[in-house]
Amino acid sequence: MSNPSEVLALAQNRAAEKNLPYAGALTPEEAFEVLQANPKALLVDVRTKAELELVGRIPGAINIEWAFYPGMVANADFTKQLTAELDRHQCDQDSVLIFLCRTGGRSHNAAAVAASLGFSQAYNTLEGFEGEANADKQRTLINGWKHSGLPWTN
């Protein structure tokens, strides 16, 4: 296990290189490492309830849908729900918040929202839960949380 501070510094360097609007970008393995080392860090899964039920969920993660299935209709109350969950978990502006979705797109947006609310330690999980699709449009075979063998459940 690396030093969690070094992992976050690497994620922050990625953010600076890519001009991201939040603190950093973590691989799934790095996100897991930070979560294991920092019990106050919070994993926020922004996938739909359907994705959680059909594909799997991460133990200990909180779920706030970025959009709703079917149709991927935007969750107009996302910011309000996020703020309420962070308050419930007694997060402050410096709490480590790690966002995750299917492939890293919605979680990128969610991390940006958290940063805009003043959370200085908002991170996106690159690759997401399922990772990139292969030539046959299958996921979990190239990268992502599941492919990495990290904890998840049905």
Side-chain angles (χ1 to χ4, degrees):
M1 179 181 271
S2 303
N3 178 333
S5 297
E6 292 173 3
V7 172
L8 292 178
L10 179 60
Q12 291 163 1
N13 286 339
R14 285 188 196 112
E17 288 170 6
K18 297 180 180 188
N19 199 29
L20 299 175
Y22 42 82
L26 296 159
T27 67
E29 296 89 348
E30 292 166 346
F32 182 70
E33 202 170 308
V34 170
L35 291 164
Q36 291 299 295
N38 181 351
K40 292 184 179 182
L42 191 63
L43 180 62
V44 182
D45 190 331
V46 299
R47 294 178 296 147
T48 66
K49 289 191 185 336
E51 288 172 295
L52 298 175
E53 295 299 321
L54 296 171
V55 184
R57 61 184 72 233
I58 299 170
I62 63 167
N63 176 241
I64 305 169
E65 294 175 284
W66 179 260
F68 301 110
Y69 180 85
M72 297 310 285
V73 177
N75 179 358
D77 292 326
F78 180 82
T79 300
K80 183 172 82 173
Q81 292 169 359
L82 175 64
T83 302
E85 277 295 320
L86 297 180
D87 286 346
R88 191 170 75 77
H89 287 274
Q90 299 178 332
C91 295
D92 61 31
Q93 298 292 299
D94 296 321
S95 294
V96 174
L97 308 174
I98 301 174
F99 293 87
L100 176 133
C101 67
R102 181 181 185 188
T103 60
R106 287 172 282 170
S107 54
H108 162 84
N109 295 333
V113 166
S116 76
L117 294 172
F119 291 94
S120 64
Q121 295 295 307
Y123 295 85
N124 182 29
T125 306
L126 302 168
E127 305 167 15
F129 187 72
E130 293 184 66
E132 298 172 66
N134 67 13
D136 295 322
K137 298 184 180 178
Q138 299 168 318
R139 297 192 184 275
T140 73
L141 300 174
I142 297 174
N143 57 21
W145 187 279
K146 277 178 94 170
H147 177 78
S148 297
L150 300 172
W152 67 279
T153 184
N154 288 327

